[in-house]
Amino acid sequence: MRRPILAANWKMNMDSAALGAFLSRFVPLVADAAAVEIVIAPPFTLLDRLREQIAGTAILSAAQNVNPEESGAFTGEIAAGMLADMGCSYAIVGHSERRALFGESDAFVARKAAALLRHQICPIVCVGETLEQRDAGRALEVVAAQIEQSLAEVPGDQAEAIVVAYEPVWAIGTGRTATPAIAQEVHAHIRGRLRARFGDAANRIRIQYGGSVKPETVYDLMAQPDIDGALVGGASLDPEAFARIACFQEQRNP
Ligand code: 13P
């Protein structure tokens, strides 16, 4: 009922030559993966080229960030309308790297999500606790507060357009994936919060897991009832690895 969504977050990696090499390998490998939605979020500089090169495939593009203003004197920033003009279907907002390195607050993330929705772009809203917060027993509480505040400006009738990504900070780029049970516990909690906010629409909102997802770990994560996709950093830079993640049903360990 919820179509799995497997997304690559390339972060500040890749150039035009690497994009071409990636796609020429990746596209044939996922040609039969019609049951899932495959999304690639390259740096802004590659969005136009990506759009050209995925034309005719089922792959969708995403931005890694957006500014909530419509236009104006915001040097260096990119508006949601500009992303729509680049053919973006999705945009990541509230990634923990942006929260930690660039001081982005939940309120700012909420404005970004609303700006995207005004331009028919689906926000992928990231939440997740730090190791310190988890060790203090506060993971569920922290994530619930992020959900409430980061989604504060999502109109009720657009709830199904959003995707939530649970990315525990301690699992990002560390090789330490959350166990399926740990991830499921938080995903179920997130769905509960979404239900409190949006009612039955919560059953149709997809919740991705992110944090050191690999071909070897994706199957067991995706087998959890409330895990509807993955947001993949490091492993998504390798076309074979990301193709295996997109074809997660085939990765079942014997
Ligand atoms: P890694 O897969 O490299 O841990 O990154 C996860 C992430 O931050 C995706 O947004």
Side-chain angles (χ1 to χ4, degrees), residues 205-228:
I205 297 175
R206 291 170 300 172
I207 309 175
Q208 298 177 301
Y209 169 78
S212 297
V213 175
K214 302 276 182 294
E216 295 75 24
T217 56
V218 70
Y219 182 90
D220 289 342
L221 288 162
M222 292 298 290
Q224 302 299 313
D226 288 295
I227 300 186
D228 311 310

Side-chain angles (χ1 to χ4, degrees), residues 32-46:
D32 294 331
V36 303
E37 201 163 40
I38 299 174
V39 179
I40 297 178
F44 287 124
T45 47
L46 294 178

Side-chain angles (χ1 to χ4, degrees), residues 7-11 92 95-97 124 126 165 167-177 209-214 230-237 245:
N9 175 7
W10 282 353
K11 308 191 180 183
I92 299 169
H95 193 281
S96 64
E97 286 151 16
I124 298 177
C126 302
E167 298 205 308
V169 177
W170 47 270
I172 295 178
T174 58
R176 197 179 147 188
T177 321
Y209 169 78
S212 297
V213 175
K214 302 276 182 294
L231 183 55
V232 188
S236 77
L237 298 170
I245 289 170

